[in-house]
């Protein structure tokens, strides 16, 4: 059975599709089909193409609608009058709607034109606000940095870094994201983060990284634990202990598992959490032991032992997306972080 097909969409001149109408306004054939356009019929582009075609003309339409005079609108926009007139005709052709009632060079909006103008002005306003926002974010003196960091660095390290940096750059603003390493890498790739301070230092072809410092990890035990009287310990001595750890997606959990494997055992995990201080609370409650970085302030109920073997440290580094251009404030903060190599963390 044969099926009838409607005419294919056709864009007006100025688009990437050739206009097939003739200058006299007589019906023109459609290339391959051989079917004639009916007088007065307007083919409409697909929605994606329609946005692409209309966008450059919206400001011109708003100017003509506001002045109700093509000559004045042309002077206001710096566009030749003939070009502006043709653009408005093409706009109406692409929409398939009369936007203007014409009386010489004076025009007035039709009801459809007034409806369209309301949305156009709203869209142009949003574009203007977006342009101002991105320009403000890129301002070297007062722009914005989207910075990610580990939960364990949020209480002391990062506030100290920001305090020092803002002494020289008081107007730079920050969006701060506290999360685990894999989520920060996803944030870099999605464009949600400019820089991140993370551990372990990631290795990926699309990332640029610099190692800044290393942080000692300690075995944290309850204050009444059999090992609480010790100052130093080999991790193998904790092989029979119950561990509380971060969840597997966290970098510190992978480091913990790796150190325990190096010490010759696999940790028996009773609790998994998302915050180092929560784990300390679990240890204080007698629910297990944990490998953790030093706390910002001593916590009652636990004892923190230096691990002598294997060498229990985690590397802290900064990462950003390879090839990503930096705004002024991002470049300044990146230089600042790199200057902290070897002195990022307290001794």
């Amino acid at each position: 059975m044969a099926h009838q097909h409607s005419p294919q969409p056709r864009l007006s001149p100025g688009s990437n599709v050739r206009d097939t109408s003739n200058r006299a306004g007589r019906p023109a054939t459609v290339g391959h089909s051989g079917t004639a356009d009916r007088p007065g019929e307007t083919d409409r582009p697909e929605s994606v193409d329609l946005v692409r075609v209309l966008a450059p003309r919206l400001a011109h339409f708003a100017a003509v609608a506001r002045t109700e005079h093509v000559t004045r609108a042309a002077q206001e926009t710096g566009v030749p009058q003939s070009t502006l007139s043709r653009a408005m005709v093409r706009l109406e052709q692409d929409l398939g709607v009369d936007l203007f009632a014409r009386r010489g060079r004076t025009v007035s909006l039709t009801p459809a034109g007034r409806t369209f103008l309301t949305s156009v002005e709203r869209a142009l306003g949003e574009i203007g606000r977006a342009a101002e926002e991105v320009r403000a974010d890129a301002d070297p003196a007062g722009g914005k940095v989207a910075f990610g960091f580990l939960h364990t660095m949020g209480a002391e390290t990062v506030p100290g870094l920001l305090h020092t940096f803002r002494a020289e750059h008081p107007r730079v603003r920050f969006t701060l994201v506290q999360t685990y390493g894999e989520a920060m890498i996803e944030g870099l790739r999605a464009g949600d983060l400019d820089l991140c301070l993370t551990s372990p230092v990631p290795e990926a072809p699309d990332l640029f990284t610099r190692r800044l410092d290393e942080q000692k990890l300690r075995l944290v035990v309850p204050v009444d634990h059999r090992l609480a009287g010790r100052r130093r310990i080999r991790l193998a001595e904790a092989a029979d202990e119950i561990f509380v750890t971060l969840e597997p997606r966290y970098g510190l959990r992978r480091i913990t598992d790796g150190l325990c494997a190096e010490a010759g055992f696999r940790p028996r995990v009773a609790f998994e959490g998302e915050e180092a201080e929560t784990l300390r609370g679990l240890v204080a409650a007698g629910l297990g032991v944990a490998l953790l970085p030093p706390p910002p302030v001593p916590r009652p109920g636990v004892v923190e032992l230096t691990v002598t073997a294997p060498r229990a440290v985690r590397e802290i580094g900064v990462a950003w997306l390879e090839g990503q251009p930096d705004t002024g404030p991002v470049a300044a903060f990146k230089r600042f972080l790199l200057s902290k190599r070897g002195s990022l963390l307290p001794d």
Side-chain angles (χ1 to χ4, degrees):
M1 178 182 294
H3 297 274
Q4 290 186 332
H5 296 274
S6 59
Q8 294 297 310
R10 186 181 67 245
L11 307 186
S12 60
S15 70
N16 292 327
V17 180
R18 180 172 57 89
D19 180 27
T20 57
S21 62
N22 58 33
R23 294 180 180 272
R26 293 187 296 273
T29 59
V30 179
H32 65 278
S33 68
T35 60
D37 294 336
R38 290 186 294 274
E41 183 181 80
T42 302
D43 292 332
R44 300 178 186 176
E46 299 290 345
S47 59
V48 174
D49 286 338
L50 187 60
V51 172
R52 175 176 57 80
V53 170
L54 297 184
R57 303 174 187 164
L58 298 184
H60 295 162
F61 164 74
V64 174
R66 184 171 56 253
T67 61
E68 295 190 332
H69 198 282
V70 177
T71 301
R72 286 198 292 272
Q75 293 170 346
E76 179 181 303
T77 59
V79 176
Q81 179 180 314
S82 58
T83 300
L84 191 60
S85 296
R86 287 196 297 270
M88 294 304 97
V89 171
R90 291 168 184 167
L91 177 61
E92 291 176 312
Q93 289 174 346
D94 287 330
L95 288 173
V97 175
D98 289 329
L99 301 175
F100 298 103
R102 292 168 172 80
R103 294 180 296 278
R105 292 177 181 173
T106 301
V107 297
S108 60
L109 288 171
T110 64
R114 286 193 293 273
T115 298
F116 190 55
L117 177 62
T118 299
S119 295
V120 166
E121 289 180 330
R122 186 183 306 118
L124 293 175
E126 286 297 319
I127 292 171
R129 283 187 287 275
E132 287 302 315
E133 181 177 349
V134 297
R135 291 178 65 185
D137 287 349
D139 176 27
K144 185 175 71 174
V145 179
F147 180 45
F149 53 93
L150 300 169
H151 288 283
T152 51
M153 313 204 79
E156 187 175 28
T157 301
V158 168
L161 289 172
L162 297 181
H163 175 78
T164 303
F165 178 76
R166 294 255 300 184
E168 296 293 329
H169 304 83
R171 291 175 49 213
V172 170
R173 297 168 290 122
F174 283 84
T175 296
L176 302 177
V177 177
Q178 247 180 307
T179 187
Y180 58 98
E182 290 182 2
M184 284 191 281
I185 302 309
E186 292 174 4
L188 290 176
R189 289 172 174 154
D192 297 328
L193 291 177
D194 298 309
L195 302 162
C196 70
L197 206 58
T198 187
S199 177
V201 180
E203 294 183 4
D206 61 336
L207 298 179
F208 201 95
T209 60
R210 282 286 185 269
R211 287 167 173 79
L212 298 180
D213 215 336
E214 62 179 28
Q215 187 175 45
K216 293 180 180 179
L217 301 178
R218 298 170 179 172
L219 184 70
V220 185
V221 302
V223 71
D224 58 354
H225 193 272
R226 65 180 179 86
L227 298 172
R230 302 271 297 275
R231 295 182 60 187
R232 300 174 181 272
I233 187 173
R234 291 178 295 107
L235 189 56
E237 296 179 70
D240 295 330
E241 299 293 333
I242 299 296
F243 277 73
V244 296
T245 70
L246 295 178
E247 295 178 353
R249 57 183 175 166
Y250 286 76
L252 184 57
R253 168 63 179 275
R254 295 195 297 274
I255 293 172
T256 296
D257 289 346
L259 288 171
C260 290
E262 193 174 346
F265 70 95
R266 181 177 180 178
R268 294 182 296 157
V269 177
F271 296 91
E272 295 176 333
E274 297 182 341
E275 292 273 359
E277 289 312 299
T278 300
L279 298 187
R280 272 194 175 82
L282 295 174
V283 172
L287 298 175
V289 302
L291 270 175
L292 295 173
V297 294
R299 172 156 188 159
V302 300
V303 175
E304 310 217 356
L305 310 178
T306 298
V307 178
T308 59
R311 188 168 181 266
V313 298
R314 66 170 180 172
E315 288 187 317
I316 306 294
V318 61
W320 61 89
L321 200 62
E322 178 74 27
Q324 181 76 18
D326 290 336
T327 62
V330 171
F333 190 58
K334 183 185 294 183
R335 288 192 299 270
F336 169 76
L337 288 178
L338 294 176
S339 74
K340 295 297 179 181
R341 186 174 184 181
S343 60
L344 181 74
L345 303 170
D347 294 333

